[in-house]
Amino acid sequence: MKSSLPLKPGAQQPSLQVRTYLAALPADARRHVQQLREAIRAAAPGAVESFGYGMPAFALDGKPFIWYGAWKHHSSLYPLSKATASALAAEVKGYETSGKGTIRFRLDQPLPTDLVTRLVQARIAELREKRKKP
C-alpha cells in the first residue's frame, strides 16, 4: 500500500516502516497490534498507511489522522477526543484512557474490534466536520 504523503530524502516508505515496527514487537503484541491495524483499515477503507511520532498511522487526504502502537502490556489508539470519549462513554468504560487522547487495550484481552471501528469512524466524522467550518 503506498502513501500519498511526500517522503523526505532517504526516508523509508511508510509501509516498510510499519512492517519494520511490527517485526520488532514480541509475538503477542504483534498479533494484537496487527488486529488493531486491520480493524482501522476496515473502518477507513480510503486511508493509506503512514508513519509518524515513531509509530504506525493511517492518513486521509494526505494527512495522518490516527496512530496506533504496542507497549509491554497493551496496544494504544491515538487520538481519542473528549467529544468521542463522551459520545462513546458506555463503550469506552473499562478501558484505560488518558486526558491526552489515548485509549489502551490490554494484550491479554481480545481486541474490541467493534469499538475500534466506532472510534475510527468518529475520528473521521470529527475531521470532516472541522473541514466544513469556515
Side-chain angles (χ1 to χ4, degrees):
M1 180 176 285
K2 287 193 174 188
S3 171
S4 61
L5 300 175
L7 293 176
K8 294 178 184 172
Q12 295 178 334
Q13 285 287 339
S15 59
L16 178 58
Q17 290 174 299
V18 172
R19 287 194 307 270
T20 301
Y21 178 91
L22 293 172
L25 297 175
D28 61 337
R30 185 180 322 111
R31 277 189 301 276
H32 209 260
V33 84
Q34 283 176 320
Q35 290 174 347
L36 184 55
R37 178 186 184 201
E38 291 306 316
I40 296 167
R41 183 178 283 140
V48 294
E49 285 197 303
S50 182
F51 199 87
Y53 303 109
M55 68 184 85
F58 279 92
L60 281 174
D61 303 324
K63 295 181 182 181
F65 78 101
I66 202 151
W67 290 259
Y68 61 100
W71 304 95
K72 188 173 184 177
H73 300 291
H74 66 273
S75 63
S76 294
L77 185 68
Y78 316 85
L80 172 64
S81 72
K82 291 181 183 187
T84 297
S86 293
L88 298 174
E91 295 175 74
V92 171
K93 186 178 181 180
Y95 295 98
E96 187 178 347
T97 59
S98 80
K100 294 184 178 183
T102 303
I103 184 166
R104 296 178 183 98
F105 306 108
R106 292 175 48 115
L107 296 180
D108 61 355
Q109 296 177 356
L111 182 72
T113 54
D114 289 343
L115 175 58
V116 170
T117 297
R118 286 190 286 286
L119 292 169
V120 170
Q121 291 171 342
R123 175 75 177 142
I124 292 169
E126 286 174 349
L127 294 175
R128 288 190 176 141
E129 191 60 34
K130 279 185 184 180
R131 289 184 189 136
K132 287 181 184 178
K133 293 181 181 179

